[in-house]
Amino acid sequence: MSRTIPSQQAPLETRSSGLEDEEVDITPPVDAFEELVRMAVEKDPSLAPLAEQHLRSKKVTAASSMLGPSLAALPNQSKPAWLRQRAPQGEVFSGLKSQLRDLKLATVCEEAQCPNIGECWNGEMATATIMLLGDTCTRGCRFCAVNTARTPPPPDPDEPVNTAEAVASWGVGYVVLTSVDRDDMPDGGSEHFARTVRTLKQLRPGILVECLTPDFRGDLDAVRHLARSGLDVYAHNVETVDRLQRRVRDPRAGYRQTLDVLRAAKECGVYTKSSIMLGLGETDDEVIDTMLDLKAVGVDIFTLGQYLQPTPKHLPVSEFVTPEKFEYWRKFGQEEIGFRYVASGPMVRSSYKAGEFFLHSMIESDRAAVRERAAQDRLQQQQQQQQ
């Protein structure tokens, strides 16, 4: 395997002042969303009309602040031009936000100050990553803006049913469920997740469900319990390379523990997914080693995004990785490592509408192929019996 890796290229040229208020052409050579939509259409040409609609709606320029701090307000950083966000707007965004508030549902989109909230919450394939088990985490990772406490309030026992009923009413084809870490609960919240999945599948059997989970303190029985609940994609993030784990993540997390979680989930027959942030001081060889380790435990889907420091109390950014370098990692992960697909870009996050668009197509295509093979086997058996 070749390890000839391009160095960071010079930042794209931008105007030196007023970036947030000016219309500056900062489109990178390859856009992660457009690339994944193209891949989805190649796999399933019937998606072409929907894809064209998404690509048209994506070309919206806006630079006012989103829920959470604007990129311009992030501390102690001079941001390059490609890190410009879109303001959340639109009827779908407003309606979804209102419904979530009425049902007292939290989203990681808001809690973690995700820069893609305006894009993901709009359009016919609007997606929101629902955060179960409350909005307060028992851990204190140095990259994360979610609230923390040793003893968060107890989870709402009605949340699995409320969440499932709300999501079922939206009519979406793909949903992501995630949660804070709940080390105060005996199973880390595994059954809470599983009950949400089971209820949702009962209400909408055709919906595809991804769960982006904590590590359940390394309890692999809890991992298997959730993986066998009927979900389609089991996601758990390694976050960074092995050497930086203790600097970036809470000491109760860990590189090997994450690999064990992903291996156990994969052995239950689900698709698996993981993600790392770049710009924390990792080396290129360490990124490659991380990819190899994740592939070795069966990970199907891999995403890479730029780390952004949410507050002055969190880790500073070591490097702003260029769109060209992210594109290199996308190709490397797919062509050299062999992941089913890689989403890689400065604004890519683990839960990202472009990735969900492609995953929906990939899973449906795989299942159609299985059904076709089963039908061919039955036909062959019938022919043999007739002979």
PDB file of all heavy atoms in Angstrom, residues 15-30:
ATOM      1  N   ARG A  15     -10.981  37.093   0.815  1.00  0.00           N
ATOM      2  CA  ARG A  15     -10.871  38.505   1.175  1.00  0.00           C
ATOM      3  C   ARG A  15     -10.522  38.601   2.639  1.00  0.00           C
ATOM      4  O   ARG A  15     -11.018  37.864   3.462  1.00  0.00           O
ATOM      5  CB  ARG A  15     -12.193  39.213   0.878  1.00  0.00           C
ATOM      6  CG  ARG A  15     -12.594  39.084  -0.594  1.00  0.00           C
ATOM      7  CD  ARG A  15     -13.933  39.727  -0.864  1.00  0.00           C
ATOM      8  NE  ARG A  15     -14.399  39.349  -2.193  1.00  0.00           N
ATOM      9  CZ  ARG A  15     -15.546  39.735  -2.701  1.00  0.00           C
ATOM     10  NH1 ARG A  15     -16.363  40.488  -2.008  1.00  0.00           N
ATOM     11  NH2 ARG A  15     -15.902  39.350  -3.916  1.00  0.00           N
ATOM     12  N   SER A  16      -9.725  39.592   3.006  1.00  0.00           N
ATOM     13  CA  SER A  16      -9.158  39.619   4.346  1.00  0.00           C
ATOM     14  C   SER A  16     -10.116  40.127   5.395  1.00  0.00           C
ATOM     15  O   SER A  16      -9.884  39.941   6.576  1.00  0.00           O
ATOM     16  CB  SER A  16      -7.907  40.521   4.348  1.00  0.00           C
ATOM     17  OG  SER A  16      -8.248  41.832   3.931  1.00  0.00           O
ATOM     18  N   SER A  17     -11.216  40.767   5.029  1.00  0.00           N
ATOM     19  CA  SER A  17     -12.134  41.287   6.037  1.00  0.00           C
ATOM     20  C   SER A  17     -13.560  41.109   5.564  1.00  0.00           C
ATOM     21  O   SER A  17     -13.848  41.014   4.388  1.00  0.00           O
ATOM     22  CB  SER A  17     -11.853  42.768   6.305  1.00  0.00           C
ATOM     23  OG  SER A  17     -12.083  43.514   5.131  1.00  0.00           O
ATOM     24  N   GLY A  18     -14.474  41.068   6.549  1.00  0.00           N
ATOM     25  CA  GLY A  18     -15.884  40.973   6.230  1.00  0.00           C
ATOM     26  C   GLY A  18     -16.296  39.675   5.581  1.00  0.00           C
ATOM     27  O   GLY A  18     -17.285  39.623   4.874  1.00  0.00           O
ATOM     28  N   LEU A  19     -15.582  38.585   5.835  1.00  0.00           N
ATOM     29  CA  LEU A  19     -15.871  37.315   5.159  1.00  0.00           C
ATOM     30  C   LEU A  19     -17.272  36.839   5.435  1.00  0.00           C
ATOM     31  O   LEU A  19     -17.937  36.311   4.560  1.00  0.00           O
ATOM     32  CB  LEU A  19     -14.862  36.259   5.607  1.00  0.00           C
ATOM     33  CG  LEU A  19     -15.026  34.873   5.008  1.00  0.00           C
ATOM     34  CD1 LEU A  19     -14.864  34.935   3.497  1.00  0.00           C
ATOM     35  CD2 LEU A  19     -14.028  33.903   5.611  1.00  0.00           C
ATOM     36  N   GLU A  20     -17.761  37.048   6.667  1.00  0.00           N
ATOM     37  CA  GLU A  20     -19.072  36.529   7.019  1.00  0.00           C
ATOM     38  C   GLU A  20     -20.202  37.264   6.319  1.00  0.00           C
ATOM     39  O   GLU A  20     -21.328  36.800   6.284  1.00  0.00           O
ATOM     40  CB  GLU A  20     -19.288  36.600   8.539  1.00  0.00           C
ATOM     41  CG  GLU A  20     -18.565  35.507   9.301  1.00  0.00           C
ATOM     42  CD  GLU A  20     -17.063  35.687   9.322  1.00  0.00           C
ATOM     43  OE1 GLU A  20     -16.591  36.843   9.291  1.00  0.00           O
ATOM     44  OE2 GLU A  20     -16.355  34.672   9.359  1.00  0.00           O
ATOM     45  N   ASP A  21     -19.935  38.469   5.787  1.00  0.00           N
ATOM     46  CA  ASP A  21     -21.006  39.247   5.186  1.00  0.00           C
ATOM     47  C   ASP A  21     -20.893  39.352   3.670  1.00  0.00           C
ATOM     48  O   ASP A  21     -21.739  39.930   3.022  1.00  0.00           O
ATOM     49  CB  ASP A  21     -20.998  40.675   5.768  1.00  0.00           C
ATOM     50  CG  ASP A  21     -21.241  40.642   7.271  1.00  0.00           C
ATOM     51  OD1 ASP A  21     -22.112  39.863   7.684  1.00  0.00           O
ATOM     52  OD2 ASP A  21     -20.563  41.377   7.995  1.00  0.00           O
ATOM     53  N   GLU A  22     -19.831  38.816   3.074  1.00  0.00           N
ATOM     54  CA  GLU A  22     -19.626  38.966   1.650  1.00  0.00           C
ATOM     55  C   GLU A  22     -19.903  37.666   0.935  1.00  0.00           C
ATOM     56  O   GLU A  22     -19.796  36.587   1.491  1.00  0.00           O
ATOM     57  CB  GLU A  22     -18.184  39.407   1.367  1.00  0.00           C
ATOM     58  CG  GLU A  22     -17.843  40.774   1.972  1.00  0.00           C
ATOM     59  CD  GLU A  22     -16.448  41.209   1.587  1.00  0.00           C
ATOM     60  OE1 GLU A  22     -15.935  40.734   0.558  1.00  0.00           O
ATOM     61  OE2 GLU A  22     -15.864  42.022   2.312  1.00  0.00           O
ATOM     62  N   GLU A  23     -20.251  37.769  -0.354  1.00  0.00           N
ATOM     63  CA  GLU A  23     -20.436  36.599  -1.190  1.00  0.00           C
ATOM     64  C   GLU A  23     -19.087  36.254  -1.797  1.00  0.00           C
ATOM     65  O   GLU A  23     -18.646  36.873  -2.765  1.00  0.00           O
ATOM     66  CB  GLU A  23     -21.472  36.877  -2.277  1.00  0.00           C
ATOM     67  CG  GLU A  23     -22.874  37.070  -1.727  1.00  0.00           C
ATOM     68  CD  GLU A  23     -23.356  35.850  -0.975  1.00  0.00           C
ATOM     69  OE1 GLU A  23     -23.062  34.728  -1.407  1.00  0.00           O
ATOM     70  OE2 GLU A  23     -24.020  36.016   0.055  1.00  0.00           O
ATOM     71  N   VAL A  24     -18.397  35.303  -1.214  1.00  0.00           N
ATOM     72  CA  VAL A  24     -17.075  34.897  -1.675  1.00  0.00           C
ATOM     73  C   VAL A  24     -17.168  33.486  -2.220  1.00  0.00           C
ATOM     74  O   VAL A  24     -17.747  32.612  -1.584  1.00  0.00           O
ATOM     75  CB  VAL A  24     -16.056  34.932  -0.506  1.00  0.00           C
ATOM     76  CG1 VAL A  24     -14.676  34.586  -1.024  1.00  0.00           C
ATOM     77  CG2 VAL A  24     -16.059  36.304   0.147  1.00  0.00           C
ATOM     78  N   ASP A  25     -16.625  33.240  -3.383  1.00  0.00           N
ATOM     79  CA  ASP A  25     -16.664  31.903  -3.976  1.00  0.00           C
ATOM     80  C   ASP A  25     -15.621  31.030  -3.296  1.00  0.00           C
ATOM     81  O   ASP A  25     -14.426  31.190  -3.518  1.00  0.00           O
ATOM     82  CB  ASP A  25     -16.394  31.985  -5.472  1.00  0.00           C
ATOM     83  CG  ASP A  25     -16.525  30.623  -6.134  1.00  0.00           C
ATOM     84  OD1 ASP A  25     -16.934  29.672  -5.438  1.00  0.00           O
ATOM     85  OD2 ASP A  25     -16.221  30.514  -7.336  1.00  0.00           O
ATOM     86  N   ILE A  26     -16.076  30.137  -2.429  1.00  0.00           N
ATOM     87  CA  ILE A  26     -15.147  29.287  -1.680  1.00  0.00           C
ATOM     88  C   ILE A  26     -15.418  27.821  -1.958  1.00  0.00           C
ATOM     89  O   ILE A  26     -15.029  26.954  -1.185  1.00  0.00           O
ATOM     90  CB  ILE A  26     -15.275  29.547  -0.164  1.00  0.00           C
ATOM     91  CG1 ILE A  26     -16.715  29.294   0.280  1.00  0.00           C
ATOM     92  CG2 ILE A  26     -14.825  30.940   0.192  1.00  0.00           C
ATOM     93  CD1 ILE A  26     -16.884  29.155   1.759  1.00  0.00           C
ATOM     94  N   THR A  27     -16.090  27.513  -3.057  1.00  0.00           N
ATOM     95  CA  THR A  27     -16.436  26.134  -3.355  1.00  0.00           C
ATOM     96  C   THR A  27     -15.180  25.307  -3.565  1.00  0.00           C
ATOM     97  O   THR A  27     -14.362  25.638  -4.416  1.00  0.00           O
ATOM     98  CB  THR A  27     -17.301  26.060  -4.624  1.00  0.00           C
ATOM     99  OG1 THR A  27     -18.434  26.903  -4.443  1.00  0.00           O
ATOM    100  CG2 THR A  27     -17.747  24.629  -4.876  1.00  0.00           C
ATOM    101  N   PRO A  28     -14.969  24.230  -2.786  1.00  0.00           N
ATOM    102  CA  PRO A  28     -13.788  23.395  -2.970  1.00  0.00           C
ATOM    103  C   PRO A  28     -13.883  22.618  -4.272  1.00  0.00           C
ATOM    104  O   PRO A  28     -14.961  22.479  -4.843  1.00  0.00           O
ATOM    105  CB  PRO A  28     -13.827  22.457  -1.751  1.00  0.00           C
ATOM    106  CG  PRO A  28     -15.258  22.408  -1.366  1.00  0.00           C
ATOM    107  CD  PRO A  28     -15.829  23.757  -1.698  1.00  0.00           C
ATOM    108  N   PRO A  29     -12.746  22.105  -4.777  1.00  0.00           N
ATOM    109  CA  PRO A  29     -12.746  21.370  -6.037  1.00  0.00           C
ATOM    110  C   PRO A  29     -13.711  20.193  -6.025  1.00  0.00           C
ATOM    111  O   PRO A  29     -14.346  19.910  -7.023  1.00  0.00           O
ATOM    112  CB  PRO A  29     -11.299  20.897  -6.160  1.00  0.00           C
ATOM    113  CG  PRO A  29     -10.506  21.803  -5.290  1.00  0.00           C
ATOM    114  CD  PRO A  29     -11.418  22.220  -4.187  1.00  0.00           C
ATOM    115  N   VAL A  30     -13.815  19.475  -4.919  1.00  0.00           N
ATOM    116  CA  VAL A  30     -14.734  18.345  -4.813  1.00  0.00           C
ATOM    117  C   VAL A  30     -15.564  18.529  -3.560  1.00  0.00           C
ATOM    118  O   VAL A  30     -15.029  18.725  -2.477  1.00  0.00           O
ATOM    119  CB  VAL A  30     -13.978  17.004  -4.742  1.00  0.00           C
ATOM    120  CG1 VAL A  30     -14.963  15.856  -4.542  1.00  0.00           C
ATOM    121  CG2 VAL A  30     -13.181  16.789  -6.034  1.00  0.00           C
TER     122      VAL A  30
END
